[in-house]
Amino acid sequence: MSITIKYQTSEQPFVQVAHYNEIPKEATLIWYDFNDPTEIENEVLQSQFKFNKLEIEDTIKGTPRAKYKAYETYQYLVFHSMDTPFNRDKALNLFIKDNILITYHHKPFSILEDVEQMIKHQFNKDLDTSDVALYILDKLVDDYFKHIYDIEDKVFEFEDQNLNSQSIKGIMEDVFKIRGDIIKLKRIIYPMNELIDNIKESKLLLVDSKNHMYIQHIEDHIIKQQSILKTAQEVTTEIRDNYSSYTSFKMNSVMQILTLVSVIFLPLTLITGIYGMNFINMPELKWHYGYYIVLGIMLAISAGCIYYFKKEKWF
């Protein structure tokens, strides 16, 4: 789509130019933003900058895993964010070399504009590429909260729902959907936590004490998000188990009633089966009161079974 080129000097915040030849020598920070670039623009990334060819290929053709790598002349980072409309993660690739910052992405990232506006409003002549990279990382991590808080609210809404046979199916469908969303978020957040650990271990991106404090601030947010997701997952597990137990209890109750009814009708079926046989030598068939006596016996058997089951508290 386009390459946006911006630079900053010690006298003024970011200024956008049409070509890198227009960047003045006194520029203290240069930012190249590749937003869904074309093949021609991809060629600029490959020819203009001396980066690892395999990483450039992953950047252009794939969605690399969130990671941080430090080389002798540059640093390479991959951040991930949640693409809400498609419910998928999207990658933001960063290359840092001296006073040059390159951001590369196939999908739009509005946070980049937010970071630029923040830098313009809070102009700092000593701003460097490490600061901008941490600003972007902080914005991305903060953006996770809206998805995580949404899941947390949905989970605790289950407490206000009444349990009945009509609602169980819908509730369970919501539970499994939320658990799926939790897994998708964990797939993004946990690698980002590893990335932060690698940044802290390398220390190349943390050029001063301010950056050390900032990365700790970002890590605290990640830890809080992981804690919320863990709690939400545990709650949904309990809800799932409770509803499964309730469903099993209801099913067992139904099966118990059906079993008792079957036991009551079993001797009655035996009697009717015997007197349904077409044998000639059956004296009872010609007895005037035989029909009424058999009905009485069947009624007595039924009443006796019901009394016994009631006495044993089987229902």
Side-chain angles (χ1 to χ4, degrees):
M1 177 181 277
S2 66
I3 301 178
T4 303
I5 305 173
K6 298 179 281 285
Y7 73 89
Q8 175 172 305
T9 67
S10 58
E11 303 295 332
Q12 61 180 0
F14 281 122
V15 176
Q16 184 170 330
V17 294
H19 196 273
Y20 59 84
N21 289 333
E22 302 177 24
I23 300 174
K25 293 182 179 180
E26 62 270 18
T28 57
L29 193 153
I30 305 170
W31 184 355
Y32 295 85
D33 182 44
F34 289 75
N35 180 14
D36 193 18
T38 62
E39 293 184 5
I40 298 176
E41 293 165 341
N42 285 332
E43 184 63 29
V44 174
L45 179 64
Q46 294 173 327
S47 60
Q48 186 72 20
F49 308 98
K50 304 300 181 182
F51 298 137
N52 187 302
K53 292 183 179 180
L54 294 177
E55 288 175 349
I56 291 179
E57 184 178 349
D58 288 343
T59 299
I60 293 174
K61 297 183 178 180
T63 304
R65 177 182 171 86
K67 58 185 174 181
Y68 170 77
K69 288 188 176 182
Y71 298 91
E72 291 183 3
T73 57
Y74 72 95
Q75 301 172 73
Y76 174 55
L77 303 94
V78 180
F79 301 154
H80 277 218
S81 177
M82 178 68 80
D83 192 6
T84 307
F86 303 99
N87 207 19
R88 296 179 179 178
D89 54 329
K90 55 183 181 178
L92 175 63
N93 304 268
L94 284 81
F95 294 90
I96 300 175
K97 183 177 182 180
D98 300 327
N99 66 332
I100 297 175
L101 172 67
I102 299 172
T103 52
Y104 186 105
H105 48 99
H106 294 286
K107 297 179 180 180
F109 275 83
S110 60
I111 62 165
L112 298 180
E113 297 178 3
D114 297 338
V115 170
E116 181 182 355
Q117 293 300 319
M118 181 186 69
I119 293 173
K120 287 182 177 180
H121 290 317
Q122 302 174 4
F123 175 64
N124 178 11
K125 66 178 182 178
D126 297 324
L127 185 75
D128 57 23
T129 52
S130 298
D131 294 328
V132 179
L134 291 178
Y135 290 157
I136 294 173
L137 177 58
D138 184 35
K139 286 288 186 181
L140 272 177
V141 172
D142 286 346
D143 192 56
Y144 298 156
F145 275 113
K146 65 182 180 182
H147 303 290
I148 292 175
Y149 285 147
D150 181 58
I151 286 178
E152 186 180 39
D153 291 340
K154 289 179 180 178
V155 168
F156 289 111
E157 281 178 4
F158 288 123
E159 296 181 355
D160 300 326
Q161 299 189 33
N162 295 322
L163 184 63
N164 55 63
S165 57
Q166 287 75 26
S167 66
I168 289 179
K169 183 178 180 180
I171 290 175
M172 292 304 296
E173 289 177 353
D174 292 339
V175 166
F176 283 113
K177 182 178 182 302
I178 290 176
R179 288 177 65 85
D181 293 338
I182 291 174
I183 292 173
K184 292 174 184 176
L185 277 170
K186 289 176 69 175
R187 188 181 62 191
I188 295 175
I189 292 175
Y190 279 74
M192 290 290 287
N193 190 31
E194 295 177 9
L195 179 146
I196 291 174
D197 289 339
N198 292 336
I199 290 175
K200 293 175 64 178
E201 183 179 351
S202 173
K203 298 182 180 180
L204 292 177
L205 196 66
L206 311 177
V207 296
D208 53 31
S209 59
K210 180 185 66 176
N211 287 352
H212 278 276
M213 294 178 61
Y214 205 14
I215 197 67
Q216 187 61 51
H217 164 77
I218 297 172
E219 186 179 34
D220 290 342
H221 282 186
I222 286 282
I223 293 174
K224 180 179 180 181
Q225 291 165 356
Q226 290 177 327
S227 177
I228 294 174
L229 286 180
K230 182 180 179 181
T231 301
Q233 192 167 33
E234 291 175 351
V235 171
T236 54
T237 299
E238 292 178 1
I239 292 172
R240 182 194 62 187
D241 293 343
N242 288 340
Y243 285 140
S244 296
S245 299
Y246 176 79
T247 303
S248 298
F249 171 75
K250 294 289 290 184
M251 182 62 69
N252 290 337
S253 298
V254 172
M255 292 301 298
Q256 183 181 27
I257 295 299
L258 293 177
T259 301
L260 294 178
V261 171
S262 299
V263 171
I264 292 173
F265 277 91
L266 183 62
L268 307 185
T269 304
L270 176 62
I271 293 174
T272 56
I274 291 174
Y275 284 100
M277 294 185 293
N278 296 320
F279 290 110
I280 296 176
N281 188 20
M282 292 185 71
E284 301 94 331
L285 296 179
K286 298 180 180 179
W287 191 15
H288 180 72
Y289 298 103
Y291 173 72
Y292 303 104
I293 292 176
V294 169
L295 285 180
I297 293 173
M298 295 172 67
L299 181 60
I301 292 174
S302 300
C305 289
I306 293 174
Y307 172 77
Y308 178 77
F309 296 153
K310 190 70 174 179
K311 181 181 178 182
E312 295 294 329
K313 298 182 179 179
W314 289 359
F315 68 92

